[in-house]
Amino acid sequence: MPEITYREALAQALREEMHRDEKVYLIGEDIGAYGGSYAVTKGFLSEFGAQRVIDAPIAEMGIVGTAIGAAMDGLRPVAELMTINFAVLALDQIVNHAAKLHYMFGGEITVPMVVRTVSGWGQLGATHSQSFESWFAHIPGLKVVTPATPSDAKGMLKSAIRGSDPVIFIEHSLLYGIKGEVPEGDHLLPLVGAQVLREGRDVTLVSYSRMAILALRVAAKLAQQGIEAEVVDMRALRPLDMQPAIESVMKTNHAVVLSEDWRTGGMGGELAAQIYEHAFDYLDAPIGRVAAEEVPMPYSKVLEQLVVPDENKIIKAVHEVLGR
Amino acid sequence: MPEITYREALAQALREEMHRDEKVYLIGEDIGAYGGSYAVTKGFLSEFGAQRVIDAPIAEMGIVGTAIGAAMDGLRPVAELMTINFAVLALDQIVNHAAKLHYMFGGEITVPMVVRTVSGWGQLGATHSQSFESWFAHIPGLKVVTPATPSDAKGMLKSAIRGSDPVIFIEHSLLYGIKGEVPEGDHLLPLVGAQVLREGRDVTLVSYSRMAILALRVAAKLAQQGIEAEVVDMRALRPLDMQPAIESVMKTNHAVVLSEDWRTGGMGGELAAQIYEHAFDYLDAPIGRVAAEEVPMPYSKVLEQLVVPDENKIIKAVHEVLGR
Amino acid sequence: MTTEMTKPTGEAGTNGKAAAEDLAARQHDLDKERHLEYYRQMMLIRRLEEKTAESYTQGKIGGFLHLYIGEEAVAVGVVAGTEPQDHLVTHYRDHGYAIAKGSEPGPVLAELYGKSGGVSKGRGGSMHLADVKRHFWGGYAIVGGHIPLATGIAHSIKYQKKNEVVVCVMGDGSTNIGMFHESLNIAALWKLPIIYLVENNLFGMGTALSTHSSLTEIHQKARGYGMPGDKFDGMDILTVRDHVKTAAERARSGGGPSLLEAMTYRFRGHSMADPQLYREKTEIEEWRTKRDPILLLTSKMYAQGIFSEEDTKQVDEQVDAQIIAASKFAEESPFPKPEELYDNIYVNENY
Amino acid sequence: MTTEMTKPTGEAGTNGKAAAEDLAARQHDLDKERHLEYYRQMMLIRRLEEKTAESYTQGKIGGFLHLYIGEEAVAVGVVAGTEPQDHLVTHYRDHGYAIAKGSEPGPVLAELYGKSGGVSKGRGGSMHLADVKRHFWGGYAIVGGHIPLATGIAHSIKYQKKNEVVVCVMGDGSTNIGMFHESLNIAALWKLPIIYLVENNLFGMGTALSTHSSLTEIHQKARGYGMPGDKFDGMDILTVRDHVKTAAERARSGGGPSLLEAMTYRFRGHSMADPQLYREKTEIEEWRTKRDPILLLTSKMYAQGIFSEEDTKQVDEQVDAQIIAASKFAEESPFPKPEELYDNIYVNENY
Ligand SMILES: Cc1ncc(C[n+]2csc(CCOP(=O)(O)OP(=O)(O)O)c2C)c(N)n1
Ligand SMILES: Cc1ncc(C[n+]2csc(CCOP(=O)(O)OP(=O)(O)O)c2C)c(N)n1
Ligand SMILES: [Mg+2]
Ligand SMILES: [Mg+2]
């Protein structure tokens, strides 16, 4: 199987689906002439033309709203919101509209739309370094996908496009460069279903997106200390598949949940609460929670490094949970 | 002490603060000539004039954004967003701006602003029946207040107006009519600090806003069954004061968290996770979670009743937690 | 009762006087049928709204109820000026549009009752009801929220090279919100086949036009997009129809979007809960007595001899019967079943 | 180096020829001083930007860096056309505005280095830097996000009956977003003392004007609000100053808001990361050689004899020295301390 980057995997998914179905089109800011702010759609404008690769005005509500409308009428838009920070501007369209229509109109309207957007940070300052996945995960009617690997990036994006529900597809800017094996052609993965990425008997690391990759790296380090960590990648945050995490904790009796968002009201609280609830009698210690410090992200590198979860914080949390 | 309604308590707070400080003004949709969609500001337009009671265009970003700007320059706006469903439209201004400015500009800018808004339901349909408190509670830089009683409504609103931080003040449409004792005049309450509303030894009900009132009613019923429930009203969701809930659970060894929002990613998960973490050795059973069913709110009364948490669901959850 | 007719064939026959008379008679019949149909639709809307008001006070309808009484000529004119395959997307004051677009009054009322026989199976309610097979995409209750959706439908039409037009209806108060701007820019930029039709009823809830909008000539907001704007009497169904038709023809032939402003007035409060502190009773009375769109049509038709009081009486009876039948349908329709609560969250459960 | 002078006193002296000559000489000195100050500011902005570009490639500056090179006349003209107490709110391409408004280059550069000596203590970075005591309320990185804020400051000014004006700067690409519309409607409706100044540099990131805006004459968007609109050469500092001054006087005297469009061009990419696939190198070269705002000013000034190459050389040296000093300041300024991480979340910790 060829090794390609997360970025290439996404591009492959988009390209294949666009070739397969004329009703699939892309819309977003600077996805065409500029080549995509993270270069995912580089070359697409010349390959598919301006009708199907639409450089939109800076108008997040307009981008998502017109995509919803087009989806209602049978097209299959893939809307790109340049970063998740700007998705905040489109929340009314996503939450009050896309998520509601199928249910609210008694099943008569469908919204086969994908919204691709990106989390991440890197001295981008307070307005440009946020993670809002828990907000989306809170909304019935949405599917929320957070792929960590190139294979998932491709396989889940293709399924998102083929499915008929509104999908919030959250990429991570610090993952675009990672490589992995990705099946060529029709590689379709379900949009729900957590997975064990690494087995271990001592502690379960529950995570998604970039933190799942970090968890793998940490697990390798922990192994050198004689700690065998099991890594569970949630992969999608709505619907949530808690089973693998719960089963893992029943085996390891210890868990640390990892996310990049702010702690209070973040994804980690929900994941922990469900594990506590369903593995109550199996836990030997409170679940560790590693998340971002609760401050607007400072620009200065020295402060930013304190805010974001890193390997050391995870290792520290594991040690605490294991009482070492 | 006079007994007044939650609505009157809010009106009192606004009126007193407007008389006290000319820099306080109100802005919102239909707060003036119409009298306020929930009649909180009825009579204010003639009392204070159109300069200080501003009927705004339907422009949620404009309402909140101009309020932030005015606050930056030293005024003390109280912006009303007619319901929390429309607050979704103003999230960029609230989250990417109000919450960030003080920190991001090194303390040089302050945003002494209050955003009043309302949760609730009552056959209003999917777009008009939502609860987004967990979203706001997730954001560093905001203060999030969810008063359950008339006294808190007045005392916390006055403090919110006098303080110099952006406060999201979430009322509940089904609470406006409830009555309670409210001190006259300068009744100022801190914006943080949970409280025990009723003592009990068997189980802790952890809640806020309308669910705290429901919890009190449920506790009375449970008492008749010989179950003594302790009711903790969180009162504010950011900053969170977990101490009273944790101490209560250390005593009762059982807890049920109650909220009106959707379960996944809602406030209950966070509250539960923190209780599990800090009262880990005291819990005799998993914490119960009562929240809304995870569907866009159906209009039909028969379905809506199934979605919202009610006394029976709470009682059932308590029984489960207590193993009865 | 047929729906809006196609144009009269118009060929002048052989040349005899009889043929000409025949043609005139045929023309008269067509005119009568067409205009009586407008009358019928307006009456049906009005009577249905009166029925909903009654049901609301009886507690059969919950939540917010926004009546369309007084504004019937706009909905009926919009549908008369467009084709059945054209699309309609409106704000929450939507019952009239559903009816004009051909929805049965029974399922519309049943929707308001929260019954499973409702057009949206009782899930949407008054503010969110749709009848997709008639290309009525629904009422939407977030002010301005439907404007991007309607624009997207128009985008789809253009993308798929279909010969259809979208009408997106909103109130005057909705033209100040960001989504209006984003949508109109996109529509003008991409030359989409869409008509933005503003029902200017002088108030957004209790806020007067001059308090909420810098430009009180709403149609002039089109100038910010290089789009044609047009203002007309929204109380005259024929005027509405003609202006909508012109804009629809422009849109259909690739001329892009328009912003239309129909001057109208709601005879009732914003919603059933409205104490109406913000306007004078005399103002309402003035409109009611002098500018009732139904009276305006009948007096014109009577004067021109196109139809008679006899005709309208007949229609009235039919309408009354329809309301009774609708009411019966709505009453008898069952409530949704509890086990259906989780239906229609997703299309693909396991994708 | 003084800041922008007040108007010359202008009284004609007694009446002798000597007095007149004296006046002319004084006038010339004032003219020279003023125009040389414009030159100085533009040069300082340019050299500082060049310095930041260098520092960025050296890894001393992180994140996104948006250079202002080529557009200096707009910032300097805006400040020249307004008063020191007037307010400035801009988008993320903000270094030039800070400098024009009088911020010291050292703390501006230190901000970009993430140092505690930065104007925003290293918390904001390139896209979010403010200097509030100078009424520079900062750069904002959410496109359009600052437009409502600036409008609110103008509202506060009117509310408090202050004699001040706000200038809100944005790019052409920012005029399509909802917040633009909501703000301009409110400002026109309430007649607020604000100038919306659009830097039309023909692109929003890589998207050309005609691809993003239905009206490419951006100032005509004012028509949607009944607001005056005005377009002018943004490469000519004197033109910018005069047009801004006119709008500021209107705003100050109760005439309400304006929408100004300064035609300009950025000589560099959108940010340091921009591969610039969307425009031709020749187009950039054309602007650089023929329309450089600094060259335009100097050639005019040399021709009119207002200042000489000698003068500019002197200024250049001063500017170079300032940049060296700024660089030293930024390098030596300490990083924020870890224990300060939670400072300035709230003003009132226990309220
Ligand atoms: C975004 C949003 N803000 C506020 C409201 C509350 N609201 C419902 S209708 C309405 C007035 C709308 O007036 P207009 O657009 O003129 O329509 P009309 O009701 O007059 O037909 C308001 C403020 C809402 N539904 N959505
Ligand atoms: C709401 C939002 N959407 C998208 C972006 C990403 N973005 C940053 S600058 C920019 C282009 C803005 O162009 P313009 O307004 O013309 O200003 P210029 O950079 O040309 O000065 C974009 C799309 C953003 N920061 N905020
Ligand atoms: Mg109206
Ligand atoms: Mg630009």
Side-chain angles (χ1 to χ4, degrees), chain D residues 7 15 55 95 127 152-153 211 225 228 240 258 269 291 309 321-322:
Chain D
K7 292 202 186 73
N15 58 13
S55 300
H95 318 154
M127 303 197 291
I153 296 173
T211 304
Y225 314 95
V240 176
S258 312
R291 307 281 303 141
E309 266 182 88
Q322 270 186 291

Side-chain angles (χ1 to χ4, degrees), chain D residues 166-183:
Chain D
V166 179
V167 183
C168 176
V169 177
M170 71 197 83
D172 50 294
S174 313
T175 62
N176 305 312
I177 204 157
M179 295 175 287
F180 173 86
H181 181 63
E182 297 194 4
S183 300

Side-chain angles (χ1 to χ4, degrees), chain B residues 29-30 58 60 82 86 89 128, chain C residues 66 71 91-93 141-143 170-174 177 179 199 201 203-205 212 266 270:
Chain B
E29 290 156 16
D30 294 294
I58 307 171
E60 279 73 13
M82 199 181 277
F86 318 147
L89 283 156
H128 275 57
Chain C
H66 305 89
E71 311 189 44
H91 56 345
Y92 46 83
R93 199 178 297 286
I142 301 292
V143 161
M170 71 197 84
D172 50 294
S174 313
I177 204 158
M179 295 175 288
E199 290 180 341
N201 60 10
F203 291 93
M205 214 163 144
H212 73 61
R266 59 170 159 70
H270 168 70

